[in-house]
Amino acid sequence: LAKTTQPISMDSYEGQEVNITCSHNNIATNDYITWYQQFPSQGPRFIIQGYKTKVTNEVASLFIPADRKSSTLSLPRVSLSDTAVYYCLVGDDSGGGADGLTFGKGTHLIIQP
Amino acid sequence: KAGVTQTPRYLIKTRGQQVTLSCSPISGHRSVSWYQQTPGQGLQFLFEYFSETQRNKGNFPGRFSGRQFSNSRSEMNVSTLELGDSALYLCASSLTGNEQFFGPGTRLTVL
Protein backbone atom coordinates (compact mmCIF):
# COMPACT_ATOMS: atom_id res chain seq x y z
CA LEU A 1 0.00 0.00 0.00
CA ALA A 2 1.24 3.49 -0.86
CA LYS A 3 2.54 5.51 2.07
CA THR A 4 0.83 8.78 2.83
CA THR A 5 2.09 11.98 4.42
CA GLN A 6 -0.20 14.59 5.91
CA PRO A 7 0.22 17.41 8.43
CA ILE A 8 0.14 16.35 12.06
CA SER A 9 -2.22 19.15 13.04
CA MET A 10 -4.14 22.13 11.71
CA ASP A 11 -6.14 24.94 13.29
CA SER A 12 -9.00 26.92 11.85
CA TYR A 13 -12.08 28.86 12.86
CA GLU A 14 -15.78 28.26 12.56
CA GLY A 15 -17.20 29.19 9.19
CA GLN A 16 -13.89 28.86 7.36
CA GLU A 17 -13.07 26.44 4.59
CA VAL A 18 -10.39 23.94 5.60
CA ASN A 19 -8.13 22.14 3.15
CA ILE A 20 -6.04 19.18 4.28
CA THR A 21 -3.47 17.95 1.81
CA CYS A 22 -2.10 14.44 1.68
CA SER A 23 0.96 13.32 -0.28
CA HIS A 24 1.10 9.84 -1.80
CA ASN A 25 3.98 9.82 -4.24
CA ASN A 26 3.96 6.06 -4.78
CA ILE A 27 0.27 5.68 -5.57
CA ALA A 28 -0.43 2.76 -7.89
CA THR A 29 -2.61 2.80 -10.97
CA ASN A 30 -5.45 0.92 -9.33
CA ASP A 31 -5.31 2.76 -6.01
CA TYR A 32 -8.14 4.90 -4.72
CA ILE A 33 -7.80 7.73 -2.20
CA THR A 34 -10.04 7.56 0.82
CA TRP A 35 -10.50 9.88 3.77
CA TYR A 36 -11.79 8.95 7.21
CA GLN A 37 -12.75 11.10 10.19
CA GLN A 38 -12.34 9.98 13.78
CA PHE A 39 -13.64 11.52 16.99
CA PRO A 40 -12.11 10.57 20.36
CA SER A 41 -13.07 7.09 21.57
CA GLN A 42 -15.04 6.36 18.41
CA GLY A 43 -14.29 4.34 15.32
CA PRO A 44 -13.26 6.13 12.11
CA ARG A 45 -16.03 7.23 9.79
CA PHE A 46 -15.76 7.17 6.00
CA ILE A 47 -15.93 10.67 4.52
CA ILE A 48 -15.13 10.49 0.84
CA GLN A 49 -13.30 8.46 -1.78
CA GLY A 50 -11.97 9.35 -5.21
CA TYR A 51 -9.74 8.20 -8.03
CA LYS A 52 -9.04 11.37 -10.02
CA THR A 53 -10.19 14.96 -10.57
CA LYS A 54 -12.86 16.06 -8.13
CA VAL A 55 -15.42 14.28 -6.02
CA THR A 56 -18.03 16.03 -3.92
CA ASN A 57 -20.58 14.77 -1.44
CA GLU A 58 -22.75 16.34 1.22
CA VAL A 59 -19.91 16.81 3.70
CA ALA A 60 -16.69 17.35 1.73
CA SER A 61 -14.90 17.65 -1.57
CA LEU A 62 -11.84 15.76 -2.68
CA PHE A 63 -9.47 17.27 -5.21
CA ILE A 64 -7.00 15.02 -6.99
CA PRO A 65 -4.53 16.45 -9.54
CA ALA A 66 -3.73 14.68 -12.77
CA ASP A 67 -0.55 13.02 -11.45
CA ARG A 68 -2.48 11.71 -8.41
CA LYS A 69 0.58 12.13 -6.19
CA SER A 70 -1.39 14.20 -3.73
CA SER A 71 -4.97 14.93 -2.79
CA THR A 72 -6.78 17.64 -0.86
CA LEU A 73 -9.75 17.15 1.39
CA SER A 74 -11.86 20.30 1.51
CA LEU A 75 -14.31 20.91 4.33
CA PRO A 76 -16.57 23.89 3.63
CA ARG A 77 -17.68 26.19 6.46
CA VAL A 78 -16.37 24.11 9.34
CA SER A 79 -17.98 24.09 12.75
CA LEU A 80 -16.69 23.15 16.20
CA SER A 81 -18.01 19.62 15.66
CA ASP A 82 -15.55 19.12 12.82
CA THR A 83 -12.73 18.97 15.36
CA ALA A 84 -11.38 15.46 14.81
CA VAL A 85 -8.54 13.44 13.35
CA TYR A 86 -8.64 13.05 9.58
CA TYR A 87 -6.90 10.13 7.92
CA CYS A 88 -5.86 9.87 4.29
CA LEU A 89 -5.58 6.30 2.96
CA VAL A 90 -4.48 4.97 -0.38
CA GLY A 91 -5.21 1.49 -1.64
CA ASP A 92 -7.07 -0.50 -4.20
CA ASP A 93 -10.80 -0.92 -3.92
CA SER A 94 -10.83 -4.68 -4.28
CA GLY A 95 -13.18 -6.67 -2.19
CA GLY A 96 -10.28 -8.37 -0.52
CA GLY A 97 -9.22 -5.57 1.76
CA ALA A 98 -5.69 -6.92 1.54
CA ASP A 99 -3.52 -5.99 4.52
CA GLY A 100 -6.38 -4.03 5.93
CA LEU A 101 -6.50 -0.29 5.83
CA THR A 102 -3.18 1.39 6.59
CA PHE A 103 -3.84 4.39 8.78
CA GLY A 104 -1.05 6.87 9.26
CA LYS A 105 -0.94 9.33 12.12
CA GLY A 106 -3.67 11.46 10.58
CA THR A 107 -4.23 15.20 10.83
CA HIS A 108 -5.63 16.54 14.08
CA LEU A 109 -7.93 19.36 13.01
CA ILE A 110 -8.90 21.82 15.73
CA ILE A 111 -11.71 24.28 15.06
CA GLN A 112 -11.97 27.30 17.28
CA PRO A 113 -14.95 29.62 17.78
CA LYS B 1 -29.94 -0.30 8.90
CA ALA B 2 -28.16 -0.95 12.20
CA GLY B 3 -24.47 -0.14 12.38
CA VAL B 4 -21.59 -2.26 13.57
CA THR B 5 -21.94 -3.21 17.21
CA GLN B 6 -19.21 -4.28 19.57
CA THR B 7 -19.43 -5.81 23.02
CA PRO B 8 -18.41 -5.15 25.64
CA ARG B 9 -17.67 -1.44 25.35
CA TYR B 10 -15.27 -1.42 28.28
CA LEU B 11 -13.24 -4.18 29.86
CA ILE B 12 -10.66 -4.38 32.62
CA LYS B 13 -8.41 -7.41 32.88
CA THR B 14 -5.17 -8.30 34.63
CA ARG B 15 -1.93 -9.51 33.10
CA GLY B 16 -1.95 -13.15 32.11
CA GLN B 17 -5.71 -13.35 31.64
CA GLN B 18 -7.42 -13.84 28.33
CA VAL B 19 -10.22 -11.83 26.76
CA THR B 20 -12.81 -12.30 24.03
CA LEU B 21 -14.33 -9.37 22.18
CA SER B 22 -17.38 -9.59 19.98
CA CYS B 23 -18.42 -7.77 16.82
CA SER B 24 -21.67 -7.85 14.88
CA PRO B 25 -21.29 -6.43 11.37
CA ILE B 26 -23.82 -4.49 9.35
CA SER B 27 -26.40 -6.85 7.90
CA GLY B 28 -25.22 -8.18 4.57
CA HIS B 29 -21.55 -7.39 5.15
CA ARG B 30 -19.43 -10.51 4.99
CA SER B 31 -16.04 -8.93 5.63
CA VAL B 32 -15.05 -8.13 9.19
CA SER B 33 -11.72 -6.57 10.11
CA TRP B 34 -10.18 -5.89 13.49
CA TYR B 35 -7.87 -3.03 14.42
CA GLN B 36 -5.97 -2.04 17.51
CA GLN B 37 -5.61 1.64 18.34
CA THR B 38 -3.12 3.00 20.86
CA PRO B 39 -1.80 6.54 21.36
CA GLY B 40 1.71 5.48 20.44
CA GLN B 41 1.12 3.21 17.46
CA GLY B 42 -2.10 4.62 16.08
CA LEU B 43 -4.53 2.37 14.23
CA GLN B 44 -3.05 -1.00 13.32
CA PHE B 45 -4.64 -3.80 11.34
CA LEU B 46 -5.01 -7.12 13.17
CA PHE B 47 -6.85 -9.41 10.75
CA GLU B 48 -9.75 -9.70 8.37
CA TYR B 49 -12.34 -12.44 8.05
CA PHE B 50 -14.54 -13.16 5.09
CA SER B 51 -17.07 -15.96 4.96
CA GLU B 52 -15.67 -17.56 8.11
CA THR B 53 -12.09 -17.61 6.77
CA GLN B 54 -9.21 -15.43 7.80
CA ARG B 55 -8.28 -13.68 4.60
CA ASN B 56 -5.58 -11.27 5.78
CA LYS B 57 -3.47 -10.88 8.88
CA GLY B 58 -1.46 -8.02 10.29
CA ASN B 59 1.82 -8.16 12.14
CA PHE B 60 0.65 -9.22 15.60
CA PRO B 61 1.78 -12.16 17.75
CA GLY B 62 -0.12 -15.42 17.87
CA ARG B 63 -1.73 -14.39 21.17
CA PHE B 64 -4.16 -12.45 19.01
CA SER B 65 -6.64 -14.64 17.22
CA GLY B 66 -10.12 -14.43 15.84
CA ARG B 67 -12.91 -16.23 14.15
CA GLN B 68 -16.05 -15.55 12.19
CA PHE B 69 -19.33 -17.37 12.41
CA SER B 70 -21.76 -18.29 9.65
CA ASN B 71 -23.87 -15.22 10.43
CA SER B 72 -20.75 -13.05 9.88
CA ARG B 73 -20.45 -12.15 13.55
CA SER B 74 -16.84 -12.20 14.64
CA GLU B 75 -14.92 -12.65 17.83
CA MET B 76 -11.40 -11.66 18.69
CA ASN B 77 -9.41 -13.35 21.44
CA VAL B 78 -6.27 -12.21 23.17
CA SER B 79 -4.53 -14.70 25.42
CA THR B 80 -1.92 -14.10 28.12
CA LEU B 81 -2.67 -10.40 28.28
CA GLU B 82 0.18 -7.94 28.62
CA LEU B 83 0.09 -4.34 29.82
CA GLY B 84 0.82 -3.22 26.26
CA ASP B 85 -2.41 -4.79 25.04
CA SER B 86 -4.36 -1.96 26.63
CA ALA B 87 -6.00 -0.27 23.68
CA LEU B 88 -9.17 0.53 21.82
CA TYR B 89 -10.09 -2.47 19.70
CA LEU B 90 -12.11 -1.58 16.65
CA CYS B 91 -14.12 -3.81 14.40
CA ALA B 92 -15.11 -2.79 10.88
CA SER B 93 -17.35 -4.42 8.33
CA SER B 94 -17.52 -3.83 4.62
CA LEU B 95 -18.90 -4.91 1.30
CA THR B 96 -15.85 -3.69 -0.61
CA GLY B 97 -12.29 -3.18 0.56
CA ASN B 98 -11.88 0.49 1.18
CA GLU B 99 -15.17 1.75 2.55
CA GLN B 100 -15.25 0.16 5.94
CA PHE B 101 -17.82 0.87 8.61
CA PHE B 102 -16.38 0.93 12.09
CA GLY B 103 -18.03 0.08 15.36
CA PRO B 104 -17.63 2.14 18.54
CA GLY B 105 -14.81 -0.07 19.79
CA THR B 106 -14.02 -1.94 22.96
CA ARG B 107 -11.76 -0.16 25.42
CA LEU B 108 -9.53 -2.81 27.02
CA THR B 109 -7.47 -1.93 30.06
CA VAL B 110 -4.89 -4.43 31.31
CA LEU B 111 -3.71 -3.95 34.88
Side-chain angles (χ1 to χ4, degrees), chain B residues 2-5 23-32 68 71-74 91-94 101:
Chain B
V4 176
T5 58
C23 171
S24 292
I26 291 173
S27 178
H29 287 190
R30 293 164 65 190
S31 168
V32 174
Q68 186 179 33
N71 61 358
S72 292
R73 189 177 70 84
S74 177
C91 164
S93 73
S94 70
F101 295 83

Side-chain angles (χ1 to χ4, degrees), chain A residues 31-34 36 38-46 49 87 89-105, chain B residues 9-10 31 33 35 37 39-45 48 50 55-57 88 90 94-105 107:
Chain A
D31 282 344
Y32 283 76
I33 300 153
T34 311
Y36 281 79
Q38 186 178 26
F39 297 111
S41 297
Q42 293 185 27
R45 182 177 73 101
F46 173 92
Q49 182 183 77
Y87 296 96
L89 290 80
V90 174
D92 65 42
D93 197 31
S94 67
D99 299 326
L101 296 179
T102 301
F103 288 83
K105 297 296 185 184
Chain B
R9 292 295 312 278
Y10 302 91
S31 168
S33 298
Y35 295 81
Q37 186 171 32
Q41 299 298 319
L43 263 162
Q44 293 184 289
F45 172 70
E48 183 220 1
F50 185 87
R55 189 159 63 173
N56 293 294
K57 189 177 189 300
L88 180 67
L90 292 159
S94 70
L95 281 172
T96 62
N98 265 350
E99 184 174 356
Q100 297 201 3
F101 295 83
F102 285 80
R107 172 74 63 186

Side-chain angles (χ1 to χ4, degrees), chain B residues 64-98:
Chain B
F64 292 81
S65 63
R67 59 177 176 170
Q68 186 179 33
F69 302 95
S70 58
N71 61 358
S72 292
R73 189 177 70 84
S74 177
E75 287 182 348
M76 190 193 94
N77 185 78
V78 187
S79 62
T80 320
L81 284 166
E82 301 176 0
L83 295 179
D85 297 332
S86 293
L88 180 67
Y89 289 88
L90 292 159
C91 164
S93 73
S94 70
L95 281 172
T96 62
N98 265 350

Side-chain angles (χ1 to χ4, degrees), chain A:
Chain A
L1 292 175
K3 180 181 169 65
T4 60
T5 302
Q6 52 184 125
I8 296 295
S9 65
M10 291 181 67
D11 294 308
S12 189
Y13 295 91
E14 282 192 294
Q16 299 295 304
E17 177 184 79
V18 171
N19 296 309
I20 306 174
T21 297
C22 177
S23 297
H24 27 79
N25 291 316
N26 297 322
I27 190 168
T29 303
N30 57 345
D31 282 344
Y32 283 76
I33 300 153
T34 311
W35 286 80
Y36 281 79
Q37 174 194 56
Q38 186 178 26
F39 297 111
S41 297
Q42 293 185 27
R45 182 177 73 101
F46 173 92
I47 301 175
I48 197 166
Q49 182 183 77
Y51 183 80
K52 62 180 179 180
T53 64
K54 176 184 175 183
V55 179
T56 297
N57 62 22
E58 63 276 9
V59 297
S61 294
L62 180 59
F63 298 92
I64 305 168
D67 66 5
R68 304 199 328 121
K69 293 184 183 299
S70 67
S71 59
T72 299
L73 174 72
S74 181
L75 305 172
R77 297 179 299 282
V78 294
S79 64
L80 296 177
S81 63
D82 291 317
T83 294
V85 179
Y86 292 82
Y87 296 96
C88 164
L89 290 80
V90 174
D92 65 42
D93 197 31
S94 67
D99 299 326
L101 296 179
T102 301
F103 288 83
K105 297 296 185 184
T107 297
H108 189 188
L109 175 64
I110 300 172
I111 305 301
Q112 302 183 46

